[in-house]
Amino acid sequence: MRIGVFCSGGDAPGMNACVRAVVRSACGAGAEVVGICRGYQGLLDEEFFLDEDGTSRMSPRCVANLIQRGGTILQSSRSSQFRTDEGLRQAADVLTRHGIDALVAIGGDGTFRGAVELARHWNGQIVGCPGTIDNDLVGTDFTIGFATAVETATGAVDKLRDTAESHERLVLVEVMGRHSGYIALYTALAAAAEAVCVPETANDVAKMVDYFQRLRLRRRHSVIVVVAEGDESGGAANLRRELESAGCPYEIRTVILGYVQRGGSPVTADRLLASRLGEFAVRSILDGATGVMAGQQGWNLVLTPFEEAVAGHKPLPQELLELLDRLSV
Ligand code: F6P
């Protein structure tokens, strides 16, 4: 059995830990692993990871000292060429020519949509591991990289609180999440923000300003609002204008955390999740699975069809939204 492994879409801390788990568990089971560089684009370009001995077979040793490293040694990309019919056929041809029987795809919704398309042209097995900081995939409680992104964002908000407090300011901290408020909500709770703005709920700017006025009267020195980039306002800069024209009683500053959230050494939770899911993906392939994403629900490892994993919007836990409301008085 020859298994190809690749990372695709936005990188996420823990992708390397997942690659390590795939390589070591596959080799342990007597399979061969080929690392495909730069996601689907690298597959089209036939760009394979070269081991120390110059072969494209990944050995257990080549993933030593990797679990703690952010980013991905396989690199990642978003490929428009792959999404064409010609690209898909070409990718299938590359896989066949290189004798690859199965793929472990580490990525997010775009990666799994690509896998569904590829399966129309290639009859090898494909199993996915959810690698994205967004935590927006159905079929797993958490995605690989989410916990680290929240840790990074929370640390940043803690620092911003110090300066906001000294200058009596309101800071709008924009975090990632084009369609999902998971990073924003978890960060807001962990950093004791006064409010959160997420794509899943509508903003009531007048109500927010009213609340900030009450905080001001009670001599609250600083206010932090965590804003998901996909919020209906269009992000922190727009929300700032809306709050200012509605009479916000605090001087406002905006901070966009951006790619800082995608970097850095994965936290323990991501290393464990990545290790479990990488090994489970390989085990599932050896058991004959295909077209599914490996996920963790509770402590159970489960498989979810790709179509299901990407189809629905993973809802934000209502109780956490309410908890933030109750605690940010
Ligand atoms: O990895 C997911 C994500 O971080 C989104 O939250 C974000 O909008 C997007 O990637 C941006 O990625 P890029 O600029 O690399 O395409």
Side-chain angles (χ1 to χ4, degrees):
M1 163 79 78
R2 207 156 197 238
I3 300 176
V5 59
F6 66 94
C7 298
S8 165
D11 65 338
M15 278 182 161
N16 276 329
C18 192
V19 171
R20 169 182 179 270
V22 168
V23 171
R24 294 219 163 153
S25 50
C27 292
E32 258 180 39
V33 181
V34 174
I36 299 162
C37 298
R38 295 193 304 110
Y40 289 120
Q41 189 57 50
L43 175 61
L44 293 176
D45 300 339
E46 301 184 47
E47 214 180 305
F48 300 107
F49 182 89
L50 293 182
D51 206 319
E52 280 170 344
D53 60 5
T55 69
S56 61
R57 195 185 302 180
M58 291 182 89
S59 68
R61 254 190 65 194
C62 82
V63 289
N65 278 324
L66 194 57
I67 200 166
Q68 74 277 24
R69 282 171 57 189
T72 159
I73 52 162
L74 295 180
Q75 300 190 282
S76 191
S77 69
R78 300 187 200 273
S79 169
S80 47
Q81 188 191 346
F82 172 76
R83 286 199 295 266
T84 63
D85 258 357
E86 178 51 32
L88 289 163
R89 266 194 292 274
Q90 195 182 322
D93 174 61
V94 173
L95 289 166
T96 309
R97 273 194 289 108
H98 287 271
I100 294 175
D101 306 293
L103 285 173
V104 176
I106 308 170
D109 55 348
T111 306
F112 301 152
R113 283 199 184 92
V116 170
E117 293 298 303
L118 179 60
R120 292 196 290 113
H121 299 266
W122 180 64
N123 57 18
Q125 295 165 258
I126 315 177
V127 171
C129 287
T132 164
I133 63 166
D134 290 344
N135 198 32
D136 57 351
L137 294 165
V138 173
T140 189
D141 293 346
F142 297 107
T143 55
I144 298 163
F146 170 70
T148 307
V150 170
E151 189 73 25
T152 301
T154 301
V157 174
D158 288 347
K159 292 185 171 72
L160 291 166
R161 178 70 82 177
D162 292 344
T163 175
E165 191 77 5
S166 309
H167 289 268
E168 296 196 66
R169 283 175 180 158
L170 182 153
V171 182
L172 297 171
V173 188
E174 184 178 305
V175 296
M176 280 187 164
R178 259 179 302 188
H179 310 292
S180 171
Y182 262 93
I183 297 176
L185 178 58
Y186 273 63
T187 303
L189 272 166
E194 276 70 18
V196 70
C197 294
V198 290
E200 289 85 350
T201 60
N203 295 338
D204 186 336
V205 173
K207 201 169 154 199
M208 282 169 82
V209 168
D210 199 52
Y211 165 51
F212 300 151
Q213 261 149 2
R214 277 184 278 122
L215 291 178
R216 186 103 225 192
L217 285 174
R218 296 210 310 263
R219 299 183 188 285
R220 176 81 55 98
H221 292 315
S222 64
V223 175
I224 301 281
V225 181
V226 182
V227 188
E229 64 179 332
D231 174 60
E232 65 172 281
S233 61
N238 291 345
L239 185 60
R240 175 182 186 163
R241 279 190 286 276
E242 289 178 29
L243 288 170
E244 281 171 348
S245 20
C248 180
Y250 289 89
E251 193 183 335
I252 303 178
R253 290 289 186 273
T254 56
V255 174
I256 299 176
L257 290 189
Y259 297 104
V260 168
Q261 291 155 97
R262 291 219 307 233
S265 179
V267 296
T268 313
D270 278 327
R271 297 183 195 194
L272 292 180
L273 182 66
S275 301
R276 290 194 84 203
L277 294 183
E279 188 272 344
F280 181 50
V282 168
R283 201 159 20 104
S284 304
I285 284 174
L286 298 175
D287 286 346
T290 189
V292 287
M293 179 194 83
Q296 182 177 292
Q297 291 176 348
W299 192 243
N300 299 325
L301 297 175
V302 294
L303 295 174
T304 303
F306 284 139
E307 292 88 344
E308 243 177 77
V310 302
H313 182 87
K314 180 168 166 177
L316 280 184
Q318 185 59 29
E319 54 157 314
L320 293 188
L321 283 165
E322 287 164 14
L323 181 64
L324 184 72
D325 268 353
R326 273 202 297 280
L327 299 185
S328 57
V329 286

